């Protein structure tokens, strides 16, 4: 049989460990994440440039660090520079350093991040925010692995691996003329795209356990919480626009604010349980992706409908019942059964 070249095998967690790849605290077992980790494993054995894309909070920096720490450069520095956070006139000197007197205020010469990263990895975060002038200079430095400090004449050579990241659509930026195509190809030798959490929901509860584990090892009196099945289902259904960062914060806040050992649905922040939102109510087509069966899906729809009617009527049950064209006592029973309460007094985060 001829090997299938178009479908390279992705290693599972055991395979990754067998190959000596250290996950460096990256939790999750979804296919999407395992594919990312497997590419990270392969790329860590090379010196190729990597461009990591993905929404905010999906773990781009974490993956960049894993690549560095699994590479032969692990004993060298990993230098991070956020190209979006530094004003463009200062960024050039941050990257390449400057000589004394190069500009007003340059009282002494200073080495830049490229020099600091020698024999290590440089992580250019938010690369999509770099100004066009600096993009030209960066391209030259990357092509030649050589550059001059601002105001300097001496050419400096460095041995670095470049990893960059962005949450922007760079191909779109190229079309608009905001990003240089030649630089894009130079940076994007190995592309790694990290899926948003809502497209790999099977990682959600694993991450909750992982972050609770982290808290337990950080705080001696930490009590691991258990989530009721409805609360867990709500976490899986929520779309997590802030991705893993948002989930991590939620786990920490719950651990502080909920004093019982068991977390019920009413203990979760409103935006997670807010079942009247179209965004959270799964469309019929996504019911199975979310691991729900008929009963849960119908229950969720009921819940959303009742919650919406109650919110519309200021939780006056008689009026909500009218709106729903339902008997008041039936509504009261249902509210009790599905454990609905007005928005909890939990801070919105
Ligand atoms: N798979 C994961 N396992 C454990 N922790 C994770 C995972 N992915 C992300 N995190 C954690 O989530 C937080 C956000 O990750 P990170 O800073 O790497 O995201 P990012 O994509 O660089 O975000 P931004 O675009 O906002 O800079 C960090 O605290 C990180 O440790
Ligand atoms: Mg980041």
């Amino acid at each position: 049989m001829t090997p299938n070249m178009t479908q390279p095998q992705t290693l599972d967690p055991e395979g990754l460990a067998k190959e000596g790849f250290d996950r460096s605290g990256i939790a999750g077992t979804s296919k999407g994440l395992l594919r990312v980790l497997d590419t990270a494993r392969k790329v860590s054995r090379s010196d190729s440039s990597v461009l990591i894309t993905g929404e905010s909070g999906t773990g781009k920096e974490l993956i960049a660090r894993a690549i560095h720490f699994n590479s032969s450069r692990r004993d060298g520095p990993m230098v991070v520079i956020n190209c979006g956070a530094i004003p463009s006139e200062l960024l050039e000197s941050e990257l390449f350093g400057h000589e004394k007197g190069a500009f007003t205020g340059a009282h002494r010469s200073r080495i830049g991040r490229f020099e600091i990263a020698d024999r290590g990895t440089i992580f250019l975060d938010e690369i999509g925010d770099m100004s066009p002038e600096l993009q030209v200079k960066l391209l030259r430095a990357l092509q030649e692995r050589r550059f001059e400090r601002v105001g300097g004449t001496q050419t400096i050579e460095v041995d670095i691996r470049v990893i960059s990241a962005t949450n922007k659509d760079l191909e779109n930026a190229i079309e608009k003329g905001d990003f240089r195509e030649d630089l894009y190809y130079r940076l994007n030798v190995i592309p790694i795209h990290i899926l948003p959490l809502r497209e790999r929901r099977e990682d959600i509860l694993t991450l909750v356990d992982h972050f609770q584990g982290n808290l337990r090892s950080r705080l001696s009196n930490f009590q691991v919480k258990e989530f009721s099945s409805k609360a867990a289902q709500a976490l899986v259904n929520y779309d997590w626009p802030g991705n893993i960062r948002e989930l991590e914060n939620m786990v920490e806040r719950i651990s502080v604010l909920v004093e019982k050992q068991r977390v019920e649905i009413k203990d979760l922040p409103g935006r997670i349980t807010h079942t009247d939102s179209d965004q959270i109510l799964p469309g019929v087509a996504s019911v199975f992706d979310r691991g729900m069966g008929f009963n849960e899906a119908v229950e969720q729809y009921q819940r959303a409908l009742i919650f919406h009617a109650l919110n519309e009527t200021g939780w006056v049950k008689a009026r909500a019942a009218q709106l729903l064209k339902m008997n008041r006592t039936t509504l009261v029973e249902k509210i009790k059964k599905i454990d609905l309460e007005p928005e909890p007094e939990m801070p919105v985060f």
Side-chain angles (χ1 to χ4, degrees):
M1 217 165 65
T2 41
N4 184 347
M5 297 301 286
T6 52
Q7 288 271 311
Q9 277 263 305
T10 301
L11 291 182
D12 60 12
E14 273 174 29
L16 284 165
K18 226 181 333 182
E19 288 294 324
F21 184 81
D22 178 350
R23 292 180 62 134
S24 328
I26 302 170
T29 53
S30 65
K31 265 207 196 103
L33 183 74
L34 290 177
R35 220 177 293 129
V36 164
L37 291 173
D38 201 34
T39 311
R41 173 186 70 83
K42 291 179 196 155
V43 90
S44 62
R45 298 170 169 175
S46 79
D47 249 354
S48 306
S49 298
V50 183
L51 175 66
I52 307 176
T53 53
E55 287 179 14
S56 184
T58 48
K60 297 184 291 297
E61 183 163 343
L62 204 57
I63 294 289
R65 288 186 185 279
I67 293 173
H68 172 74
F69 285 110
N70 280 282
S71 77
S72 59
R73 295 172 176 272
R74 74 180 68 86
D75 296 325
M78 155 108 184
V79 175
V80 178
I81 181 152
N82 187 329
C83 305
I86 301 174
S88 101
E89 54 297 355
L90 295 182
L91 188 57
E92 182 179 0
S93 117
E94 264 314 307
L95 286 173
F96 304 123
H98 62 250
E99 296 296 352
K100 186 174 167 184
F103 46 83
T104 327
H107 299 303
R108 63 183 87 158
S109 63
R110 187 170 165 230
I111 68 166
R113 307 283 178 105
F114 265 68
E115 276 179 82
I116 298 172
D118 193 27
R119 310 180 81 78
T121 304
I122 190 157
F123 179 52
L124 304 170
D125 204 1
E126 317 230 358
I127 188 80
D129 293 342
M130 188 176 272
S131 73
E133 304 81 63
L134 202 50
Q135 288 177 32
V136 182
K137 293 181 178 157
L138 176 64
L139 177 66
R140 186 190 151 232
L142 296 181
Q143 263 164 352
E144 301 174 7
R145 306 268 150 183
R146 282 192 297 197
F147 57 88
E148 289 91 37
R149 292 184 189 155
V150 178
T153 49
Q154 191 201 341
T155 300
I156 297 162
E157 278 188 44
V158 284
D159 166 23
I160 50 174
R161 128 75 69 88
V162 179
I163 304 179
S164 35
T166 182
N167 53 22
K168 290 204 168 139
D169 179 350
L170 285 188
E171 291 184 10
N172 188 17
I174 293 169
E175 258 167 49
K176 291 203 319 223
D178 294 337
F179 203 82
R180 291 185 67 99
E181 193 168 14
D182 44 11
L183 177 59
Y184 175 71
Y185 289 121
R186 175 65 53 177
L187 297 172
N188 193 27
V189 179
I190 313 281
I192 293 186
H193 179 67
I194 311 183
L195 290 174
L197 200 47
R198 66 182 172 280
E199 287 176 31
R200 47 181 171 110
R201 294 183 191 270
E202 29 328 3
D203 285 344
I204 293 174
L205 297 179
T206 313
L207 284 161
V208 170
D209 287 346
H210 171 78
F211 292 129
Q212 292 215 73
N214 285 353
L215 288 168
R216 194 182 44 203
S217 48
R218 247 174 50 202
L219 311 164
S220 55
N221 60 349
F222 178 76
Q223 180 200 33
V224 174
K225 309 269 185 226
E226 179 194 313
F227 288 75
S228 74
S229 65
K230 278 184 191 158
Q233 189 66 57
L235 298 181
V236 174
N237 287 340
Y238 178 58
D239 270 348
W240 301 101
N243 291 297
I244 297 153
R245 183 176 295 112
E246 183 184 6
L247 178 70
E248 188 175 10
N249 287 345
M250 190 231 39
V251 171
E252 183 163 349
R253 292 207 190 195
I254 294 265
S255 78
V256 175
L257 298 177
V258 180
E259 291 179 305
K260 304 163 298 172
Q261 199 253 332
R262 190 175 160 87
V263 179
E264 303 289 343
I265 195 149
K266 56 179 179 290
D267 299 318
L268 297 175
R271 73 185 188 303
I272 292 177
T273 54
H274 221 286
T275 40
D276 72 341
S277 147
D278 292 344
Q279 207 194 347
I280 290 159
L281 202 60
V284 170
S286 73
V287 159
F288 309 124
D289 288 346
R290 295 175 191 231
M292 272 194 251
F294 177 83
N295 290 339
E296 290 123 293
V298 170
E299 190 187 312
Q300 224 175 57
Y301 199 81
Q302 273 202 50
R303 199 183 156 78
L305 207 56
I306 294 174
F307 195 73
H308 182 65
L310 288 165
N311 279 342
E312 287 290 297
T313 54
W315 285 72
V316 179
K317 290 174 191 127
R319 283 182 46 215
Q322 268 172 4
L323 204 61
L324 291 160
K325 300 198 179 14
M326 181 190 259
N327 192 307
R328 188 183 168 280
T329 44
T330 316
L331 176 64
V332 172
E333 267 166 33
K334 280 194 184 292
I335 293 174
K336 217 187 272 164
K337 191 156 160 236
I338 58 183
D339 200 14
L340 266 185
E341 280 186 17
E343 287 286 75
E345 284 180 27
M346 189 116 165
V348 174
F349 54 82

